[in-house]
Amino acid sequence: LAKTTQPISMDSYEGQEVNITCSHNNIATNDYITWYQQFPSQGPRFIIQGYKTKVTNEVASLFIPADRKSSTLSLPRVSLSDTAVYYCLVGYMNNNAGNMLTFGGGTRLMVKP
Amino acid sequence: EAGVAQSPRYKIIEKRQSVAFWCNPISGHATLYWYQQILGQGPKLLIQFQNNGVVDDSQLPKDRFSAERLKGVDSTLKIQPAKLEDSAVYLCASSRRGGENTEAFFGQGTRLTVV
């Protein structure tokens, strides 16, 4: 499974756009990129997933360059409630084995008023 | 849709005692995961089931940890005997079987304190 590297922590202010970049130089051809969010005392929650180019949903956007060796999670206009740990995962979907989910250390985002 | 249910929410035991955690995944989800999350770290996969078969248990300390998923639905994770370093949150997650955009759903976890 590809190893991921992301910043340990980031600070932002309410209303700003936050971009968290994840490096995954050894990503394999059949790997997808998935981001999870985790609040204290809760399990991680799925945010967004992509394979290439750009994916957008109601919560975030995910930008993946052509070489797929990195990805950027973009959170528009963050609020205090977006303070959480964000994990970048790289893994493949195997119909016989399910999704392979390996978490790294994550990025601790602190949103300030 | 009901989420992943875990019990108990909290457990305090003495070292060398035994403990068991229970997980009920979302109905119809073939894949079930158990993770260990030590304070300040990301979740570490202990074991992954596909239906009632084990897909990956390479990081499960098999001398003291065991897990089973009877009939491919509920699962239990057991620690016997517990050590101080087993203090952590144990998370259960489930997902549908493979495919694109298949997200995993996590329970709230069981916080274990070994004293």
Side-chain angles (χ1 to χ4, degrees):
Chain A
L1 295 171
K3 178 179 168 57
T4 60
T5 302
Q6 48 184 126
I8 293 174
S9 64
M10 294 181 67
D11 288 343
S12 183
Y13 291 92
E14 282 190 293
Q16 289 188 331
E17 178 185 72
V18 171
N19 296 308
I20 306 174
T21 297
C22 178
S23 297
H24 27 80
N25 292 318
N26 297 322
I27 190 169
T29 302
N30 56 349
D31 282 345
Y32 280 77
I33 300 155
T34 312
W35 286 79
Y36 280 79
Q37 173 192 55
Q38 186 176 28
F39 297 113
S41 300
Q42 293 187 25
R45 185 182 73 164
F46 174 92
I47 300 176
I48 198 167
Q49 183 181 81
Y51 183 80
K52 61 180 178 181
T53 62
K54 177 183 174 183
V55 179
T56 297
N57 61 23
E58 64 279 5
V59 176
S61 295
L62 179 59
F63 298 92
I64 306 169
D67 66 4
R68 305 201 326 124
K69 292 184 183 300
S70 66
S71 59
T72 299
L73 173 73
S74 181
L75 305 172
R77 298 179 299 282
V78 294
S79 64
L80 296 176
S81 62
D82 292 316
T83 294
V85 179
Y86 293 82
Y87 295 97
C88 165
L89 283 72
V90 173
Y92 58 93
M93 314 306 173
N94 183 324
N95 279 318
N96 294 321
N99 308 317
M100 310 303 285
L101 298 178
T102 299
F103 287 80
T107 297
R108 196 169 300 272
L109 173 66
M110 173 69 72
V111 180
K112 303 175 182 178
Chain B
E1 174 177 72
V4 175
Q6 288 189 248
S7 67
R9 284 280 282 136
Y10 305 93
K11 190 76 177 178
I12 301 174
I13 62 172
E14 294 183 349
K15 60 183 179 183
R16 291 188 287 275
Q17 284 188 325
S18 302
V19 64
F21 312 126
W22 174 80
C23 174
N24 184 15
I26 293 173
S27 177
H29 281 192
T31 308
L32 185 146
Y33 314 80
W34 281 104
Y35 286 87
Q36 178 193 60
Q37 186 170 26
I38 293 172
L39 187 64
Q41 299 181 16
K44 170 187 159 187
L45 180 67
L46 293 176
I47 189 167
Q48 179 176 343
F49 292 95
Q50 181 77 349
N51 297 309
N52 60 352
V54 176
V55 171
D56 183 356
D57 63 356
S58 57
Q59 298 193 88
L60 187 73
K62 298 181 186 61
D63 58 333
R64 298 184 300 107
F65 286 65
S66 64
E68 61 182 5
R69 190 182 184 196
L70 299 176
K71 301 180 182 178
V73 183
D74 292 9
S75 177
T76 56
L77 176 70
K78 296 178 182 177
I79 307 175
Q80 180 181 7
K83 293 184 176 182
L84 295 176
E85 59 260 37
D86 297 331
S87 293
V89 175
Y90 290 85
L91 294 161
C92 179
S94 70
S95 69
R96 289 189 297 272
R97 176 179 175 171
E100 283 189 32
N101 291 331
T102 304
E103 66 183 273
F105 295 83
F106 283 79
Q108 286 196 292
T110 296
R111 182 176 298 277
L112 173 68
T113 302
V114 182
V115 298

